[in-house]
Amino acid sequence: AGGRSYVATGGAIIYAAVMKEVVRHGPPILLASLGLIALVVIVQMRSLANGALALLPLVQGLALLAASMAAFHVELNIYNVAILGAVVGMGVDYGVYVVSHFHDLPGVMTPSERASRTLRDIFSPILYSWLTTSAGYMGLVLSHHPGLRSISTVALIGLGGCFLMSMTLLPLLLSASPARRGYSRLPSVA
């Protein structure tokens, strides 16, 4: 029109451009972040096996989140992708707490006894941490904004999955682990 060019703008155009960048750069950034987190956990745990165990609730929680999102047709979007960092952070915390406490207990206990004691000692603190965090996200469920509802859905499912796996699967695996070197059962008093 008379040598002039026109550029469309607006919220939808900007949203589409941002989503294009998130889709393009998101997966490599997410994989690099998860790799760095795994490295830090393995170094902190001083063992590949213990690091892998500590990361297991996160992996299982994220798998549950992905399956739930697919089942309930919740799409990853610019809003809920931001909450994945919180889910990853808390999921890692739960696993690290369980594995660390398990290994801090006396070596005279069997792995099964240590796993049971670990659950008794840390179940309440981790439960209250999960509940208070979840309570904050539950408020967003009532929002009229679909993006905020999406954030809360992803956070609640992801954090719930990580919590559930930390309190069930992880102690079960730890209880089946080999006894420590030098382990000797104390004689029973009959």
Side-chain angles (χ1 to χ4, degrees):
R4 294 183 181 173
S5 63
Y6 296 92
V7 177
T9 64
I13 302 292
I14 294 170
Y15 179 82
V18 170
M19 280 308 296
K20 181 180 174 185
E21 292 302 310
V22 167
V23 168
R24 189 170 129 214
H25 296 295
I29 291 171
L30 181 62
L31 288 175
S33 298
L34 290 174
L36 185 59
I37 289 167
L39 179 65
V40 168
V41 170
I42 290 166
V43 167
Q44 190 268 334
M45 290 291 177
R46 297 185 185 105
S47 157
L48 179 62
N50 288 334
L53 282 171
L55 291 167
L56 188 61
L58 171 64
V59 172
Q60 293 293 316
L62 291 176
L64 178 65
L65 173 61
S68 298
M69 288 176 71
F72 296 112
H73 308 290
V74 177
E75 292 184 16
L76 202 57
N77 59 44
I78 189 102
Y79 302 106
N80 61 26
V81 76
I83 204 61
L84 290 178
V87 172
V88 167
M90 290 194 71
V92 167
D93 287 349
Y94 296 159
V96 167
Y97 294 150
V98 172
V99 174
S100 293
H101 192 77
F102 177 84
H103 288 293
D104 286 345
L105 291 171
V108 295
M109 301 169 80
T110 66
S112 180
E113 291 167 336
R114 285 200 328 266
S116 179
R117 174 75 180 272
T118 295
L119 269 179
R120 270 196 320 271
D121 291 351
I122 67 169
F123 179 79
S124 291
I126 292 178
L127 172 67
Y128 295 140
S129 171
W130 172 71
L131 284 174
T132 56
T133 302
S134 295
Y137 290 116
M138 283 182 205
L140 297 177
V141 170
L142 305 174
S143 173
H144 295 294
H145 191 280
L148 294 177
R149 281 195 312 271
S150 177
I151 288 171
S152 68
T153 301
V154 169
L156 291 170
I157 294 170
L159 292 173
C162 291
F163 171 77
L164 183 65
M165 295 303 154
S166 294
M167 297 294 107
T168 57
L169 179 64
L170 187 53
L172 181 66
L173 291 173
L174 288 169
S175 70
S177 66
R180 292 182 183 174
R181 269 190 231 165
Y183 169 79
S184 61
R185 181 176 265 279
L186 295 175
S188 61
V189 179

